[in-house]
Amino acid sequence: MSVLAIDAGTTGVTAVVVTPDGRIEAKGYQEFRQHFPQPGWVEHSPEEIWQATLEATREVLGKVDQSALTAIGITNQRETIVLWDRETLGSPRRAIVWQDRRTADICDRLRDEGHEDRVTELTGLRLDPYFSGTKLTWLAEQEPHTWALVESGRYAVGTVDSYLIARMTRGTWHVTDVSNACRTLLFDLESGDWSDELCELFGVPRDALPELVPNWGEVAPTDPQSFLGLSLPIAGIAGDQQSALFGQTCFEEGESKCTYGTGSFILTNTGSSVVRSDAGLLSTAAWRSPDGAMTYALEGAIFVTGSAVQWLRDGLQIVGSAAETAAIASTVDDTDGVVFVPALTGLGAPHWDPHARGMIIGITRGTTRAHLVRATLEAIAFEVRDVLETLPELRTLRVDGGAAANDLLCQFQADQVGRAVERPEIVETTALGAAFLAGLGTGVWSSTDELRDTWALDRRFEPGGDRAALDVSYARWSDAVERAKGWAQTR
């Protein structure tokens, strides 16, 4: 009675097997390449995502009793757009990733034409390159030969979950859920369905889009010839951040979590109501039950946090691994005035400036790599504080994701936001949420109350430090953010 969960993230694919007591029995992981064809462009090869999925799954299957598996849950990087041939399942081009900024001019054009208010009213989102709709508009305008095959019905359009399900079922199923659909700019948040009006605005044929299914319940069986000999029901689907909200068992209105992944995402459950924000937060669908009941959330989306650490490792090569950043940062008492704004792909919530770019300021002859590493960890905490400053008062903040294992970061976070930070024993809550959804859909767990009982606290970080000094450092950060804004427009 275990569940296989696949977390197709931005830099790699994780596969886990979760037992009925909510424990991760085994784990597999496989990275895939990041492609940067031009400044501000980010792409992934769909075939490389699929091969990473197979490798991660093959690794985890070698560690468990496969006969005990009852269902599969899928969670994925959102907003990334994939095209594939419905017959061959091959992709005509690389996927355009959520971090990609190439559609900034299209967003500006639609905004100048007066469309943003209506788009926000229908979707809860804003006109920003982050979301999928303008990526599809760009494809239609820049690659008309490819787009003609979308319009003819030969090519399917979908997010990464849709693509993986197509591959797992030998092309039989073309589906997605509301948590992914609502990030496309093509989904009406109130009606819970694709919008003909928005499809027309962005020039996307509705027939190319996947069918909407509930977040849990049996959707489709995997094809054993396509997917490692497995014949299991795909019974849980959710975008990564909503999946983490579910994995953190934030089932009640007002409960919140922050996931530290490639970016960081703060979600607050708003129950059955679409709550609008005038402070740069997004209204989004959290999940839809098999009976059709919708749960919504408010979201603060931060584009670059964990990937800033990855940049220190791979781009600057000043750290050997993300795990060593806490030790390096702890060798100095502070950043010695260095501030890092990691707007490497623009700024998300609450600033929303696709033209912002990364900036390191305050460097002197005395600056060392330890100062820069510490400034990177502090930047993550500052970015999260930026979002939390716009939210209603929270007693605690539940954190998860890879960087949540960093004790220094968690303490920075508690100090900056002035409230307790709770880290669960299992920080892989994105994959855990997908497992919970699939298990709920197949009877492994009978209710969300039963799921809540599996949550266990690893460590609680209480806020401390000199409040005045913390506020001064945050004010310095805010000044640096303003300096980084609009940089790409000055070139």
Side-chain angles (χ1 to χ4, degrees), residues 89-161:
L89 302 181
S91 296
R93 69 168 337 274
R94 290 197 292 244
I96 302 179
V97 178
W98 60 271
Q99 295 170 312
D100 192 282
R101 303 277 93 188
R102 77 185 67 184
T103 67
D105 289 344
I106 293 174
C107 294
D108 290 342
R109 183 181 78 207
L110 291 169
R111 190 176 296 110
D112 291 344
E113 291 172 356
H115 294 295
E116 183 158 49
D117 287 347
R118 180 59 175 164
V119 168
T120 299
E121 178 187 351
L122 290 172
T123 67
L125 310 177
R126 55 198 300 128
L127 286 172
D128 188 88
Y130 175 33
F131 305 110
S132 313
T134 59
K135 296 174 173 62
L136 295 173
T137 303
W138 185 92
L139 285 170
E141 293 177 356
Q142 301 299 320
E143 300 181 10
H145 296 297
T146 298
W147 196 251
L149 291 172
V150 172
E151 293 181 322
S152 73
R154 177 65 181 264
Y155 290 164
V157 170
T159 41
V160 170
D161 59 310

Side-chain angles (χ1 to χ4, degrees), residues 264-301:
S264 286
F265 300 84
I266 300 95
L267 267 71
T268 296
N269 186 324
T270 63
S272 59
S273 301
V274 177
V275 175
R276 308 284 178 169
S277 168
D278 58 2
L281 303 187
L282 306 172
S283 304
T284 198
W287 47 76
R288 179 157 61 193
S289 65
D291 67 5
M294 292 279 289
T295 297
Y296 297 95
L298 268 179
E299 175 174 335

Side-chain angles (χ1 to χ4, degrees), residues 109-302:
R109 183 181 78 207
L110 291 169
R111 190 176 296 110
D112 291 344
E113 291 172 356
H115 294 295
E116 183 158 49
D117 287 347
R118 180 59 175 164
V119 168
T120 299
E121 178 187 351
L122 290 172
T123 67
L125 310 177
R126 55 198 300 128
L127 286 172
D128 188 88
Y130 175 33
F131 305 110
S132 313
T134 59
K135 296 174 173 62
L136 295 173
T137 303
W138 185 92
L139 285 170
E141 293 177 356
Q142 301 299 320
E143 300 181 10
H145 296 297
T146 298
W147 196 251
L149 291 172
V150 172
E151 293 181 322
S152 73
R154 177 65 181 264
Y155 290 164
V157 170
T159 41
V160 170
D161 59 310
S162 303
Y163 171 69
L164 291 182
I165 292 169
R167 296 301 300 258
M168 290 177 183
T169 64
R170 201 187 286 188
T172 305
W173 293 84
H174 185 36
V175 299
T176 191
D177 78 296
V178 296
S179 71
N180 280 292
C182 75
R183 313 296 294 188
T184 63
L185 292 174
L186 305 173
F187 180 84
D188 186 324
L189 203 57
E190 297 277 2
S191 73
D193 201 359
W194 299 117
S195 165
D196 290 332
E197 178 183 346
L198 292 168
C199 285
E200 182 179 354
L201 175 64
F202 291 99
V204 179
R206 181 166 173 166
D207 289 346
L209 299 174
E211 176 189 352
L212 296 171
V213 297
N215 287 85
W216 64 91
E218 296 190 19
V219 173
T222 59
D223 174 65
Q225 290 185 314
S226 301
F227 192 51
L228 303 175
L230 295 175
S231 180
L232 291 170
I234 299 168
I237 310 169
D240 52 9
Q241 301 313 315
Q242 291 93 330
S243 186
L245 189 69
F246 205 86
Q248 284 276 33
T249 68
C250 295
F251 304 134
E252 300 297 324
E253 187 174 338
E255 294 182 329
S256 304
K257 68 87 194 176
C258 175
T259 297
Y260 300 101
T262 301
S264 286
F265 300 84
I266 300 95
L267 267 71
T268 296
N269 186 324
T270 63
S272 59
S273 301
V274 177
V275 175
R276 308 284 178 169
S277 168
D278 58 2
L281 303 187
L282 306 172
S283 304
T284 198
W287 47 76
R288 179 157 61 193
S289 65
D291 67 5
M294 292 279 289
T295 297
Y296 297 95
L298 268 179
E299 175 174 335
I302 303 165

